[in-house]
Amino acid sequence: MLKSIILCTFLLFTIACSSSKQHISDVNVEYVRASEIYDHEGPSKIQEMIIPYKTEMESEMGLILGYLPEDLIKDRPNSNMGNWFADALLEMSNKYDNQNVDIAIQNYGGLRIPFLAKGEITKGNIYELMPFDNKLIVLDLNATLLQRLLDEIANSGGWPISQGLNFKIDNGKAVAIKFNEMDLDINKTYRVAMPDYIANGGGDCDFLIEIEQKHSGTYIRDVIIEYLSDLKNQNREITIDKSKRIF
Amino acid sequence: MINQNESFNMERRRFLNQSIKGSLLLASAKFPFKAFTDDPNISKLTILHTNDVHSRIEPFPMDGGRNQGLGGAVRRAQMIQDIRTEEENVLLFDSGDIFQGTPYFNMFGGELEIKLMSKMKYDASTMGNHDFDAGVDGFDKQLVHANFPFLVSNYDFSDTILDSKIKKHQIFQLDDLKIGVTGVGIELHSLVPDSLTKGTRYLNPIVHAERQAKYLKDDEGCDYVICLSHLGYEYRNDKVSDIHLAQNTENIDLILGGHTHTFMSKPDIRRNKKGNELIISQAGWAGILLGRVDILFEKNKKNRCISCKNAFIK
């Protein structure tokens, strides 16, 4: 008896369902911050899954590479993080290329963390800062192409550039460009270090694709790791130039 | 003296946390779900969503940064589990860029990220540009760990290893609700090197998302259509965004977005091509937020809804 009532209800329900329409009656949307107030006591299956990976990761990435004298903060058009990064790329590309590199550039979006705390800096920090498999390469650019690249940088609000290069952003263009306090020389070729991502046309830099690349063959994060170990070996401290480069 | 200050700060922090929790409870209390629970014509659907988690397995370190202590897979899993305990009809989605951002990805290629999503019982995800960072073959390698489908309507993978492994839509039947889900991905040129996309072709996202949405609504009779999007919420230039997607389609009800790492305090309500309202929502990045969309559906034979409000969202 009970069974047949249930069956009836089920049939009625199915028939009703086939001829009826679902209306959206009410909607509520919220964004719940994943903070510690949601933490439960006790071990969890998820934690158990993570532990073996975490242990292996930390033994590899926990290596302390140096001591950061101040917080690095990412910003545009200028920031201490951007200055430090571009200057390190310039120093290292000169190490690889017999002191012939003039300028180093890093696309803003390529730096992946907004903040790096003062204190011990680990290999893992550098992986988070620059996780991509981008290699450091060098391009020879005439003044026209360099202007075009700097226009692109200006148009996107400014990227990290190395010490010695300055310009002003005016209506999405790079103006008043100075390299070592001199105007750009139309007859000169500038040697510019950058991630292969940019040289291969990323970041709307399609105009660089055709230009011959000199590869260091080294991932940018490994370049920075090598830079930090060089400092350590030479008993040099990490220094951060805070000069304003883009106006 | 110093100790007093510290204890004051701790108290203050506790108070702030309490008030965040308090306001959330208040928000859900405003929503009159309880009144309808006995009505057989009313169904409730809870949609949870993340985007751009970027390999953030652990919470941000306590280093004084703006995001310190936030996020983390263990906590997210607990939050999701708590909601599943309270709610009957829960769907959980991600809008891409699962990969890249911590050494977990560099060392293990995304294996842990996908395993954790499977464990949390994600129902579907779309692909972000960074999900190509180990190449289509690197992504393919991790698919064995996924017990949920990847949905992308506008990437043609037919010349790649991912051919027929990425779906264009998925249908979920919950209670008497039929929910259709599709996905849409961003233009890959200038974001991802060709050496990683390996012949993946990008197709018009509006045309292809709408094609799937129309199929889900008209041919499959879905009550509600969701598009998981990695297009990005909004741009200063005319690059195609979720706002374009919303305004130029007719059959999508909810866009769960990503790519631009947008923290929303409330969802964006837009009108589609037919003038009907739809929702765009995005939940920041790195698992700092869990987006939650609760929808009440009223089922009736008349083409009229009794409990429906004229205002879509307060």
Side-chain angles (χ1 to χ4, degrees):
Chain A
M1 180 63 189
L2 185 66
K3 227 176 193 175
S4 64
I5 290 171
I6 292 170
L7 188 65
C8 266
T9 322
F10 178 72
L11 282 173
L12 273 171
F13 185 75
T14 321
I15 291 159
C17 192
S18 64
S19 60
S20 70
K21 187 175 167 7
Q22 294 282 4
H23 301 267
I24 299 164
S25 153
D26 205 350
V27 181
N28 186 61
V29 183
E30 61 190 38
Y31 302 97
V32 191
R33 259 161 59 103
S35 70
E36 74 273 17
I37 58 168
Y38 294 99
D39 290 349
H40 290 197
E41 294 298 322
S44 94
K45 287 250 159 62
I46 296 281
Q47 188 70 57
E48 282 170 29
M49 279 178 76
I50 294 171
I51 285 168
Y53 292 89
K54 183 177 159 78
T55 310
E56 192 180 336
M57 192 273 286
E58 283 178 346
S59 71
E60 168 88 26
M61 293 293 162
L63 180 71
I64 294 160
L65 300 169
Y67 186 87
L68 210 50
E70 62 186 83
D71 290 344
L72 291 181
I73 294 158
K74 180 188 168 191
D75 203 354
R76 65 200 326 174
N78 296 285
S79 69
N80 65 347
M81 182 188 282
N83 282 6
W84 175 72
F85 202 90
D87 289 347
L89 290 187
L90 182 64
E91 179 170 330
M92 293 308 285
S93 55
N94 273 320
K95 178 182 163 185
Y96 302 141
D97 198 29
N98 298 321
Q99 308 299 321
N100 288 322
V101 181
D102 300 306
I103 295 163
I105 276 163
Q106 169 61 49
N107 58 306
Y108 184 77
L111 299 181
R112 297 303 286 186
I113 44 175
F115 175 86
L116 203 50
K118 173 185 170 171
E120 285 173 347
I121 183 168
T122 64
K123 189 173 171 184
N125 290 143
I126 301 305
Y127 266 72
E128 291 190 12
L129 182 60
M130 183 20 98
F132 306 120
D133 291 349
N134 290 172
K135 287 175 178 170
L136 183 65
I137 60 101
V138 166
L139 296 184
D140 286 327
L141 300 179
N142 62 32
T144 315
L145 276 169
L146 180 58
Q147 170 81 54
R148 198 158 165 201
L149 175 59
L150 299 184
D151 282 343
E152 197 50 56
I153 293 173
N155 187 43
S156 63
W159 292 354
I161 56 172
S162 56
Q163 200 167 13
L165 181 67
N166 297 95
F167 63 87
K168 188 169 174 285
I169 300 177
D170 185 18
N171 267 324
K173 297 272 179 202
V175 299
I177 303 168
K178 298 277 181 196
F179 177 62
N180 291 339
E181 294 172 0
M182 311 249 284
D183 291 339
L184 283 195
D185 182 349
I186 201 77
N187 298 314
K188 190 174 163 1
T189 296
Y190 296 87
R191 187 155 276 197
V192 186
M194 67 183 77
D196 63 348
Y197 171 76
I198 296 305
N200 291 331
D204 291 315
C205 292
D206 279 338
F207 56 92
L208 297 176
I209 293 174
E210 297 300 315
I211 299 163
E212 192 195 341
Q213 299 176 5
K214 280 188 67 174
H215 283 269
S216 73
T218 313
Y219 288 137
I220 288 188
R221 58 166 175 272
D222 293 333
V223 171
I224 300 293
I225 290 166
E226 187 183 333
Y227 169 72
L228 290 168
S229 14
D230 283 0
L231 291 186
K232 209 173 186 179
N233 295 337
Q234 297 157 11
N235 281 320
R236 287 162 65 198
E237 312 247 301
I238 297 175
T239 52
I240 297 147
D241 174 75
K242 278 179 278 211
S243 61
K244 213 170 161 189
R245 299 170 185 185
I246 302 177
F247 297 89
Chain B
M1 197 63 198
I2 290 162
N3 283 337
Q4 269 181 9
N5 271 336
E6 273 175 3
S7 112
F8 169 75
N9 282 333
M10 276 193 43
E11 279 305 314
R12 186 166 172 273
R13 209 164 124 217
R14 201 168 292 143
F15 169 73
L16 286 173
N17 284 332
Q18 291 283 334
S19 50
I20 288 162
K21 199 174 190 178
S23 68
L24 289 173
L25 286 173
L26 196 67
S28 25
K30 272 193 296 190
F31 197 38
F33 286 129
K34 280 275 175 267
F36 292 113
T37 43
D38 300 336
D39 189 334
N41 289 324
I42 302 289
S43 313
K44 184 182 176 188
L45 173 66
T46 300
I47 297 158
L48 303 177
H49 67 104
T50 52
N51 52 275
D52 302 278
V53 178
H54 282 297
S55 304
R56 283 280 155 195
I57 308 291
E58 295 173 79
F60 281 94
M62 300 304 289
D63 60 1
R66 147 175 65 147
N67 298 322
Q68 66 173 348
L70 294 176
V74 171
R75 181 178 298 149
R76 184 161 83 251
Q78 285 167 347
M79 292 164 77
I80 292 162
Q81 188 49 50
D82 290 350
I83 294 166
R84 288 191 197 279
T85 313
E86 283 168 22
E87 305 293 343
E88 211 170 320
N89 301 320
V90 179
L91 288 172
L92 172 60
F93 299 117
D94 189 85
S95 296
D97 277 8
I98 296 161
F99 292 169
Q100 192 72 281
T102 69
Y104 281 104
F105 176 69
N106 303 90
M107 289 189 65
F108 311 113
E111 180 179 306
L112 183 56
E113 289 85 327
I114 300 291
K115 278 183 172 173
L116 289 169
M117 287 174 77
S118 293
K119 191 82 185 165
M120 290 182 215
K121 299 192 179 71
Y122 270 79
D123 290 290
S125 177
T126 194
M127 287 177 76
N129 46 302
H130 286 297
D131 298 320
F132 289 87
D133 280 359
V136 284
D137 28 359
F139 187 82
D140 180 61
K141 226 182 274 173
Q142 304 310 334
L143 274 180
V144 294
H145 303 297
N147 59 10
F148 55 92
F150 281 88
L151 310 176
V152 193
S153 63
N154 69 319
Y155 291 156
D156 178 357
F157 288 111
S158 53
D159 291 341
T160 76
I161 193 167
L162 291 176
D163 182 31
S164 77
K165 293 174 185 169
I166 306 297
K167 299 181 75 174
K168 295 197 184 301
H169 63 255
Q170 182 84 4
I171 295 167
F172 299 91
Q173 185 76 47
L174 301 115
D175 206 345
D176 29 325
L177 295 172
K178 194 172 182 182
I179 310 300
V181 185
T182 185
V184 72
I186 194 167
E187 163 84 273
L188 297 167
H189 176 73
S190 156
L191 270 181
V192 188
D194 296 347
S195 57
L196 297 174
T197 56
K198 294 190 177 145
T200 306
R201 277 184 298 274
Y202 165 82
L203 310 171
N204 183 314
I206 291 171
V207 169
H208 287 270
E210 175 60 16
R211 186 173 296 169
Q212 294 303 316
K214 189 173 165 51
Y215 169 81
L216 290 165
K217 272 267 167 78
D218 291 354
D219 297 16
E220 293 286 353
C222 288
D223 300 307
Y224 197 74
V225 170
I226 302 166
C227 183
L228 311 178
S229 163
H230 201 77
L231 293 178
Y233 171 54
E234 187 177 29
Y235 298 101
R236 275 176 297 176
N237 55 25
D238 57 1
K239 189 177 164 81
V240 60
S241 68
D242 287 339
I243 294 174
H244 293 116
L245 180 67
Q247 291 173 338
N248 294 292
T249 54
E250 296 183 355
N251 291 289
I252 297 169
D253 298 297
L254 172 64
I255 296 170
L256 299 176
H259 189 67
T260 42
H261 298 191
T262 309
F263 284 88
M264 292 177 145
S265 53
K266 58 183 175 51
D268 188 3
I269 314 297
R270 296 275 164 166
R271 286 191 184 276
N272 71 11
K273 214 171 159 185
K274 283 199 292 196
N276 297 331
E277 285 179 324
L278 79 158
I279 303 169
I280 306 172
S281 181
Q282 193 177 141
W285 75 293
I288 291 169
L289 298 180
L290 179 65
R292 174 174 181 165
V293 183
D294 290 292
I295 309 168
L296 283 186
F297 291 91
E298 182 195 315
K299 182 180 67 186
N300 57 47
K301 281 181 238 176
K302 292 168 195 153
N303 199 18
R304 195 165 64 86
C305 178
I306 296 134
S307 66
C308 290
K309 294 172 179 172
N310 290 326
F312 204 56
I313 287 184
K314 292 288 179 300

